[in-house]
Amino acid sequence: MNASRIDRALAVLGYLAHHHEGRSLKHLSDDLKLPMSSTHDLMQALVEIGAVRVAGPRTYALGPRAVTIALTVVDSLSLRDVARPHLTELCEEINENVYLGIRAGAGVTYADRYEASQPLAVVMQLGGERPLHGSAVGKLLAAYDPELEAKVLAAPRLEPLTAFTIVDRDQLRIEYAKIREQGFSVTDGESVEGITGISTPIVDADGVTVAAVHVSAPRGRLASDRLPIVLKQMQRAGAVISRLLGADDSALSAHHLLADG
């Protein structure tokens, strides 16, 4: 592949990163000022290697390989570098696996994992896309993004991951409002049966929820007596990371993070 074709491929991937729902071949050709025929050939090549996926008739979105590549790039960026020591410390404090969750395409993914010494730890795949309605991280990020929430609620179908996944739109709308009110999200068997997940926000200098602190464990280890303790430690870690990203007191307060975190 010559340099100009590589440049066009990177332009396509960058463009699709800002259009999570996907874009038509015509939009790609027009917006990137590429000939239709060469755009079609390029998209076919990117689909073949998994960097792009077909999202509908002549419509394309980022593929799983693009997410994997993105995670490698993220290693050199500030978020994972800033979060790593504090999420490592959190993992040691609560002795449960801790994850850094981020937005990826039409869903969310786990960008980093901090493994505990528990013999029965919950290990979630890094780079795998999780839905916005059936995962704690997904529900949290959708709840704090009105455009994303509207997109989820307008989806033609919400896939049940387990018998407990919320697929009723009215119930999901109430769930998002509850998350904003309390500042965290919980799944109880909605993503994986028998597993409880908790997510709390990480916000940046603009007050935008850019990531999440996430903990997953067998239901019995996050029962009602222990969950508030773990939650407080997660919020404290999220507050420290958010401050390092430039978030001020008003942003922390709006997201129910501990002001003294």
Side-chain angles (χ1 to χ4, degrees), residues 110-121:
Y110 301 113
D112 215 348
R113 178 174 62 233
Y114 313 87
E115 297 196 19
S117 60
Q118 286 278 12
L120 293 175

Side-chain angles (χ1 to χ4, degrees), residues 86-87 89-90 93 201 213 231-244 247-249 252-253 256-261:
H86 306 288
L87 296 187
E89 182 179 357
L90 173 64
E93 288 175 349
V213 178
L231 175 63
K232 182 173 288 189
Q233 291 169 297
M234 291 173 64
Q235 289 173 317
R236 184 176 294 115
V240 171
I241 297 166
S242 297
R243 285 190 185 281
L244 292 171
D248 59 18
D249 286 349
L252 296 181
S253 177
H256 301 270
L257 295 172
L258 301 179
D260 61 352

Side-chain angles (χ1 to χ4, degrees), residues 2-259:
N2 60 38
S4 63
R5 190 168 170 83
I6 292 172
D7 186 62
R8 288 196 296 270
L10 291 174
V12 165
L13 295 176
Y15 177 82
L16 291 177
H18 293 284
H19 297 280
H20 305 290
E21 73 286 357
R23 295 294 273 175
S24 70
L25 190 65
K26 186 176 188 310
H27 276 118
L28 283 158
S29 176
D30 291 347
D31 293 350
L32 296 176
K33 296 179 173 53
L34 300 173
M36 180 67 80
S37 59
S38 60
T39 304
H40 178 268
D41 292 344
L42 179 60
M43 299 312 294
Q44 292 303 306
L46 290 172
V47 167
E48 286 181 15
I49 64 172
V52 165
R53 61 183 172 85
V54 177
R58 295 172 70 83
T59 301
Y60 302 90
L62 285 180
R65 193 170 182 188
V67 175
T68 302
I69 294 170
L71 291 180
T72 303
V73 174
V74 168
D75 266 328
S76 65
L77 303 178
S78 61
L79 180 56
R80 282 179 84 185
D81 292 339
V82 168
R84 184 171 287 118
H86 306 288
L87 296 187
T88 299
E89 182 179 357
L90 173 64
C91 176
E92 293 170 353
E93 288 175 349
I94 65 175
N95 199 24
E96 300 288 355
N97 281 10
V98 175
Y99 296 83
L100 176 66
I102 61 171
R103 171 104 176 252
V108 296
T109 192
Y110 301 113
D112 215 348
R113 178 174 62 233
Y114 313 87
E115 297 196 19
S117 60
Q118 286 278 12
L120 293 175
V122 177
V123 179
M124 311 295 278
Q125 179 186 359
L126 296 185
E129 191 173 296
R130 304 297 296 162
L132 295 163
H133 70 287
S135 63
V137 172
K139 291 194 298 183
L140 182 88
L141 295 182
Y144 281 111
D145 184 332
E147 186 176 328
L148 197 56
E149 177 182 353
K151 188 176 298 182
V152 177
L153 295 174
R157 181 175 182 270
L158 297 174
E159 180 183 356
L161 306 177
T162 73
F164 305 103
T165 308
I166 300 175
V167 294
D168 179 84
R169 285 167 178 74
D170 290 336
Q171 188 179 353
L172 190 57
R173 187 177 290 107
I174 293 170
E175 177 76 358
Y176 286 147
K178 178 182 177 183
I179 290 168
R180 287 190 293 272
E181 181 180 348
Q182 64 189 15
F184 63 92
S185 65
V186 177
T187 53
D188 186 5
E190 297 164 43
S191 184
V192 180
E193 290 196 29
I195 300 300
T196 296
I198 320 172
S199 291
T200 57
I202 294 172
V203 298
D204 65 9
D206 297 318
V208 175
T209 305
V210 293
V213 178
H214 178 78
V215 170
S216 287
R219 180 183 291 120
R221 292 215 300 263
L222 288 176
S224 58
D225 58 337
R226 186 177 182 235
L227 193 148
I229 299 170
V230 172
L231 175 63
K232 182 173 288 189
Q233 291 169 297
M234 291 173 64
Q235 289 173 317
R236 184 176 294 115
V240 171
I241 297 166
S242 297
R243 285 190 185 281
L244 292 171
L245 294 177
D248 59 18
D249 286 349
S250 63
L252 296 181
S253 177
H255 291 78
H256 301 270
L257 295 172
L258 301 179

